[in-house]
């Protein structure tokens, strides 16, 4: 009963390096989301995917790309990491974009960029 | 843009006391409001979801109310326990929008 699984849990990068954060859900959900959480701020939406094959920008998409590989997996890529991208990244999913169901979250990836 | 505010940022109470957590939002045209719990180093766990047509939701010792006209929601936790120590986040989804706007959270410590 895994729910939403994120890998890795921790990562340290140097400025300019690239990295892909992985997310997979086993609940047969159509919609998936990537957020970042910074101290003293609420979670902010980076990108989301309404269904397999579609992706859309959220509130803070600059510096990120995403891939909805299949229904289960939604990855987030940092092409050239910057210190401002140091954050905790969360992946979430819901049955559908318009469902009145709560989002299910993974445990997060803690990313530090030096 | 929907702004969501949670005050206070931190709260410490003795065990057994009732907890009252506040959430305010600026745009009353909402689709739903959700309360989440976050433990240190963990993701968010959904506690309660209140649809825009509802005034409150209850689950065990938890009760959440919603007043759209005043832009407020309150989460009540009865007879608090040390295990209730966590950060509680409020998130609002506007009508005709798929995005959640989150508050920064209230960190609760229940002292034994």
């Amino acid at each position: 009963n895994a729910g939403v699984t994120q890998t890795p849990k921790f990562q340290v990068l140097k400025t300019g390096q690239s990295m892909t954060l992985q997310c997979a859900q086993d609940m047969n959900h159509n919609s998936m989301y990537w957020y970042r959480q910074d101290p003293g701020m609420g979670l902010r939406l980076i990108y989301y995917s309404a269904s397999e094959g579609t992706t859309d920008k959220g509130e803070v998409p600059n510096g990120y790309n995403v891939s909805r590989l299949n229904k289960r997996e939604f990855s987030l890529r940092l092409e050239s990491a910057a210190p401002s991208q140091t954050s905790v990244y969360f992946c979430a999913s819901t049955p559908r974009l318009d469902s009145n169901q709560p989002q299910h979250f993974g445990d997060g990836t803690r990313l530090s960029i030096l | 843009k929907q702004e969501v505010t949670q005050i206070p940022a931190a709260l410490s109470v003795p065990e057994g006391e009732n907890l009252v957590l506040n959430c305010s939002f600026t745009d009353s045209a909402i689709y739903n409001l959700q309360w989440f719990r976050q433990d240190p180093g963990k993701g968010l766990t959904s506690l309660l979801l209140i649809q825009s047509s509802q005034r409150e939701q209850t689950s065990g010792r938890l009760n959440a109310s919603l007043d759209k006209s005043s832009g407020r929601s309150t989460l009540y936790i009865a007879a608090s326990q040390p295990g209730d120590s966590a950060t509680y986040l409020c998130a609002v989804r506007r009508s005709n929008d798929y995005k959640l706007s989150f508050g920064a959270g209230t960190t609760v410590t229940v002292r034994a």
Side-chain angles (χ1 to χ4, degrees):
Chain A
N1 204 16
V4 178
T5 302
Q6 293 184 236
T7 56
K9 295 189 183 304
F10 303 93
Q11 186 69 46
V12 178
L13 294 177
K14 294 181 180 179
T15 298
Q17 288 185 317
S18 61
M19 167 98 195
T20 299
L21 280 60
Q22 307 287 353
C23 174
Q25 51 89 12
D26 62 2
M27 296 172 285
N28 201 35
H29 286 173
N30 287 297
S31 301
M32 298 182 73
Y33 312 80
W34 276 106
Y35 293 92
R36 60 179 288 173
Q37 184 177 36
D38 300 296
M41 302 181 69
L43 276 74
R44 291 179 293 169
L45 183 65
I46 304 171
Y47 271 94
Y48 67 100
S49 170
S51 60
E52 184 179 354
T54 70
T55 61
D56 284 287
K57 294 178 180 179
E59 184 182 354
V60 288
N62 291 344
Y64 305 96
N65 286 301
V66 291
S67 295
R68 184 72 184 268
L69 305 170
N70 48 56
K71 190 171 185 178
R72 290 187 63 247
E73 299 173 287
F74 188 36
S75 63
L76 178 72
R77 183 163 178 82
L78 286 69
E79 290 291 352
S80 179
S84 62
Q85 294 178 304
T86 293
S87 188
V88 182
Y89 292 86
F90 288 101
C91 177
S93 70
T94 51
R96 300 185 318 275
L97 202 61
D98 62 349
S99 77
N100 227 333
Q101 299 292 318
Q103 293 188 7
H104 294 258
F105 283 78
D107 282 345
T109 294
R110 283 141 188 85
L111 184 60
S112 293
I113 300 163
L114 308 177
Chain B
K1 182 184 175 184
Q2 178 73 276
E3 302 284 347
V4 181
T5 303
Q6 292 184 250
I7 296 174
L11 185 61
S12 179
V13 299
E15 183 177 4
E17 190 165 303
N18 296 332
L19 281 165
V20 180
L21 306 180
N22 298 305
C23 172
S24 61
F25 47 93
T26 54
D27 186 347
S28 61
I30 69 169
Y31 189 71
N32 63 42
L33 183 144
Q34 303 178 42
W35 283 95
F36 293 90
R37 169 183 171 139
Q38 185 176 27
D39 293 293
K42 294 293 187 180
L44 281 66
T45 301
S46 178
L47 297 174
L48 292 168
L49 183 150
I50 311 175
Q51 299 180 33
S52 63
S53 59
Q54 298 175 320
R55 295 298 300 268
E56 66 176 353
Q57 276 284 355
T58 299
S59 176
R61 293 185 295 112
L62 277 59
N63 174 276
S65 65
L66 174 65
D67 184 342
K68 288 190 300 181
S69 61
S70 66
R72 294 179 186 272
S73 176
T74 302
L75 178 67
Y76 299 89
I77 303 177
S80 62
Q81 305 167 358
D84 294 328
S85 298
T87 297
Y88 292 84
L89 297 159
C90 166
V92 179
R93 180 176 158 183
R94 287 189 300 179
S95 302
N96 301 318
D97 191 347
Y98 301 124
K99 305 179 187 66
L100 286 180
S101 298
F102 282 83
T106 296
T107 299
V108 171
T109 302
V110 180
R111 307 186 304 272

